[in-house]
């Protein structure tokens, strides 16, 4: 993304800073050996510092924060993230994920003292942030690194979007306004409505778009209810989609402000599997502030998916991948690029480089050689296979395994014997991030309602 236009007061002249860090940097400047003076870093022109800052921000938000902290001159020459964390998509912490602590320590647990840990999917860095907001909020989803929160104090259903690093918050209407738009719920008591809302919490998928004027629009697809809704920050109520969305065979996923899913229907005794997308809300008429959701678009018919089992969508290397077993033997996994399937190219991908995929209620992609030495590259981690020596059942313990795309071999990610009561390895912790039930107290201890496509975690995963 090109840097923004220069602000008023920008100068081309060299600016000298007198802070201690800059004086130290200036003392390190020396003659380049050919008679040409080397300009000290502390004296870089403001517009050049700003340009370098945007390049750093394109890599990682926390690197940008550290860049600004070098000296007061660099701080003044670059934009402050706080206050712009949500309204400016460049500051979204896209590759950061909240890390479940395990041992029943959900975010907001008294033993954590209000602190929550996050880790970078790209670099393996960990940060610990004080977020007292979790005392009365639960996490519903994470979109572009922003946390979708639900106020659960005093039967509240207010939705908030939180930037965990800047503390910026966008306020959205209560979810209870959705039920008031449907005839069957209009005359229910408030307690019945709250119980009904629990059905909406499982399997939801959120997507965020930011308008030119800084308006923040949130779209939520409710997987268990097959409906979608949208609202703009500051609205009084959610607007429900006019029609239902298809029943998704996989957990829906948000990507670049859109929601994607996979559905099937029968035609002439044969299943037709399609990939669909929901675009962000658009103005009802040009120039209007009133938005509406467009009908679901079928972007590809994929006969190859009709024979696959345990299919997942996952973002990898800035594109969507479709992952699953090609048949019911569960002996191998295949990966397809969604862009290839849309173009009609049905060619499996056998090498995803340093990346490693984790499959679950939501799927993740981490960079194995940058801070995750225990995670093998070019691999897929899941717990879909059941050991032959164990009885098949809803509560049976499935093995957490790595599938190596290059060799087609399986290996244990967690020791088979005496499974631990809580995560104790990095791989195990990352794997729990794929299951919503480990993100908050309300979902951790109430698993009665789950979407059909989700895989029930082992009784010992993350608890």
């Amino acid at each position: 993304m090109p840097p923004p236009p220069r602000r008023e007061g920008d100068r081309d002249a060299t600016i000298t800073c007198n802070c201690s860090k800059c004086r130290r940097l200036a003392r390190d400047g020396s003659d380049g050996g050919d008679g040409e003076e080397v300009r000290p870093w502390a004296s870089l022109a403001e517009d050049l510092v700003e340009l370098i800052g945007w390049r750093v921000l394109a890599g990682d938000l926390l690197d940008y924060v550290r860049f600004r902290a070098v000296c007061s001159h660099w701080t003044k020459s670059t934009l402050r993230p706080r206050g712009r964390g949500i309204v400016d998509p460049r500051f979204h912490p896209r590759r950061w994920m909240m890390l479940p602590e395990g041992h029943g320590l959900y975010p907001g647990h008294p033993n954590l003292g209000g602190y929550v840990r996050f880790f970078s999917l790209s670099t393996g860095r960990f940060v610990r942030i004080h977020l007292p907001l979790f005392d009365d909020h639960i996490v519903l989803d994470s979109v572009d690194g922003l946390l979708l929160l639900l106020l659960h104090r005093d039967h509240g259903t207010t939705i908030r979007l939180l930037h965990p690093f800047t503390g910026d918050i966008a306020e959205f209407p209560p979810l209870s306004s959705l039920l008031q738009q449907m005839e069957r719920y209009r005359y229910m008591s408030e307690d019945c409505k709250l119980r009904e809302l629990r059905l909406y919490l499982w399997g939801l998928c959120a997507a965020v778009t930011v308008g030119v004027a800084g308006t923040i629009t949130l779209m939520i697809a409710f997987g268990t209810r097959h409906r979608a809704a949208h609202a703009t920050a500051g609205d009084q109520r959610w607007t429900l989609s006019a029609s239902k969305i298809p029943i998704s065979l996989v957990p829906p996923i948000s990507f670049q402000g859109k929601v994607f899913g996979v559905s099937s229907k029968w035609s002439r005794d044969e299943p037709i599997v399609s990939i669909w997308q929901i675009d962000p809300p658009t103005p009802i008429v040009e120039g209007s502030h009133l938005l509406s959701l467009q009908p679901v678009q079928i972007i590809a018919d994929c006969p190859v998916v009709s024979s696959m089992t345990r299919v997942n969508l996952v973002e990898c290397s800035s594109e969507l991948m479709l992952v699953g077993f090609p048949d019911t033997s569960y002996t191998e996994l295949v990966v397809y690029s969604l862009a290839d399937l849309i173009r009609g190219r049905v060619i499996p991908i056998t090498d995803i480089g340093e990346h490693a995929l984790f499959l679950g209620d939501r799927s993740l992609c981490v960079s194995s050689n940058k801070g995750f030495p225990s995670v093998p590259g070019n691999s897929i981690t899941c717990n879909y296979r059941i050991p032959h020596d164990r009885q098949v059942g809803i509560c049976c313990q499935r093995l957490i395994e790595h599938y190596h795309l290059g060799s087609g071999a399986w290996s244990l990610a967690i020791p088979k014997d005496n499974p631990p009561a809580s995560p104790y390895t990095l791989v195990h912790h990352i794997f729990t991030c794929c299951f919503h039930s480990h993100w908050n107290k309300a979902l951790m201890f109430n698993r009665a309602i789950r979407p059909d496509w989700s895989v029930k975690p082992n009784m010992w995963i993350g608890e």
Side-chain angles (χ1 to χ4, degrees):
M1 180 177 295
R6 297 180 59 188
R7 302 185 299 274
E8 182 178 357
D10 284 354
R11 294 179 295 171
D12 291 329
T14 298
I15 299 176
T16 302
C17 177
N18 292 321
C19 71
S20 59
K21 288 184 179 179
C22 285
R23 288 197 298 270
R24 184 170 63 253
L25 289 170
R27 286 197 300 270
D28 293 338
S30 60
D31 192 281
D34 55 358
E36 183 178 353
E37 182 182 359
V38 177
R39 186 184 299 274
W41 285 103
S43 301
L44 286 175
E46 183 176 350
D47 57 347
L48 184 56
V49 174
E50 186 179 33
L51 177 60
I52 297 173
W54 292 124
R55 297 291 181 89
V56 174
L57 179 61
D60 184 76
L61 174 61
L62 291 195
D63 285 341
Y64 177 79
V65 173
R66 295 185 179 98
F67 175 84
R68 299 185 72 247
V70 168
C71 65
S72 59
H73 168 47
W74 288 16
T75 301
K76 294 176 183 177
S77 302
T78 51
L79 286 179
R80 184 186 185 191
R82 181 165 295 175
R84 303 178 178 89
I86 299 179
V87 297
D88 191 336
R90 291 172 295 189
F91 293 111
H92 291 180
R94 286 180 176 82
R95 294 290 292 163
W96 285 87
M97 187 73 189
M98 187 175 67
L99 183 73
E101 296 287 344
H103 304 276
L105 297 177
Y106 52 86
H109 193 284
N111 291 350
L112 296 179
Y115 285 90
V116 182
R117 281 199 297 174
F118 294 80
F119 73 100
S120 170
L121 300 173
S122 297
T123 65
R125 296 176 185 170
F126 286 79
V127 294
R128 187 167 173 259
I129 304 175
H130 189 245
L131 293 174
L133 197 67
F134 282 103
D135 290 343
D136 52 9
H137 289 74
I138 60 175
V139 183
L140 298 180
D141 198 9
S142 175
V143 50
D144 291 344
L146 307 175
L147 299 181
L148 185 67
L149 304 180
L150 171 70
L151 175 67
H152 67 83
R153 181 188 61 217
D154 300 328
H155 302 291
T157 60
T158 299
I159 293 292
R160 292 186 170 99
L161 197 62
L162 169 69
H163 193 301
F165 299 153
T166 66
D168 295 331
I169 296 176
E171 300 275 352
F172 290 89
L175 280 181
S176 56
S177 63
L178 284 174
L179 301 184
Q180 299 171 3
Q181 302 176 49
M182 291 179 277
E183 186 70 28
R184 59 178 296 190
Y185 302 126
R186 192 165 296 170
Y187 303 105
M188 276 188 179
S189 66
E190 290 303 317
D191 288 340
C192 290
K193 288 181 179 179
L194 288 175
R195 286 196 296 269
E196 182 66 21
L197 277 176
R198 289 171 48 204
L199 295 170
Y200 283 76
L201 300 184
W202 279 113
L204 64 78
C205 177
V208 175
T209 53
V210 180
V212 177
T215 56
I216 307 166
T217 302
L218 182 62
M219 175 176 60
I220 301 180
F222 300 96
T224 56
R225 300 286 89 185
H226 318 307
R227 300 295 292 268
H230 72 275
T232 300
D235 283 352
Q236 297 300 311
R237 68 181 183 92
W238 290 87
T239 300
L240 198 65
S241 59
S243 58
K244 288 190 174 183
I245 63 177
I247 299 176
S248 184
L249 303 176
V250 305
I253 185 174
S254 64
F255 179 66
Q256 298 180 348
K258 304 175 183 179
V259 174
F260 294 82
V262 180
S263 62
S264 67
K265 63 180 180 180
W266 287 86
S267 176
R268 297 180 181 178
D269 299 328
E270 292 184 357
I272 299 178
V273 178
S274 303
I275 299 174
W276 51 265
Q277 73 177 34
I278 306 176
D279 290 331
T282 56
I284 296 178
V285 295
E286 186 175 355
S288 173
H289 295 290
L290 298 177
L291 306 177
S292 66
L293 285 175
Q294 300 300 310
V296 174
Q297 297 183 45
I298 302 298
I299 57 177
D301 290 329
C302 304
V304 67
V305 184
S306 60
S307 61
M308 296 175 63
T309 57
R310 297 293 189 184
V311 179
N312 290 80
L313 289 171
V314 57
E315 180 182 351
C316 179
S317 298
S318 300
E319 65 174 316
L320 285 183
M321 304 287 187
L322 190 143
V323 187
F325 293 93
D327 51 47
T328 56
S329 66
Y330 286 73
T331 56
E332 63 174 326
L333 283 164
V334 292
V335 180
Y336 296 99
S337 166
L338 188 62
D340 285 346
L341 294 177
I342 293 175
R343 291 193 292 263
R345 298 178 68 244
V346 187
I347 303 175
I349 296 174
T350 58
D351 188 357
I352 55 175
E354 65 181 24
H355 302 292
L357 308 181
F358 287 74
L359 308 182
D361 289 349
R362 61 172 296 147
S363 299
L364 303 175
C365 173
V366 304
S367 299
S368 60
N369 68 345
K370 297 180 179 179
F372 299 105
S374 59
V375 180
N378 198 30
S379 69
I380 304 170
T381 303
C382 64
N383 71 333
Y384 292 158
R385 302 204 313 161
I386 301 174
H388 297 297
D389 58 346
R390 298 182 184 178
Q391 182 179 1
V392 177
I394 192 171
C395 292
C396 69
Q397 292 180 344
R398 295 179 172 90
L399 299 179
I400 303 178
E401 298 176 288
H402 297 308
Y403 177 76
H404 304 271
L405 275 174
S407 62
W410 292 87
S411 64
L412 285 176
I414 305 295
K416 177 179 179 181
D417 298 326
N418 300 319
S422 278
Y424 73 105
T425 66
L426 183 58
V427 171
H428 202 176
H429 271 287
I430 297 175
F431 189 67
T432 61
C433 294
C434 298
F435 298 94
H436 295 84
S437 57
H438 303 293
W439 292 5
N440 54 67
K441 176 181 179 181
L443 298 181
M444 181 177 291
F445 299 108
N446 188 348
R447 300 182 177 180
I449 303 169
R450 299 182 63 87
D452 295 336
W453 37 254
S454 68
V455 180
K456 186 176 180 64
N458 301 343
M459 300 305 292
W460 50 270
I461 293 180
E463 296 183 357

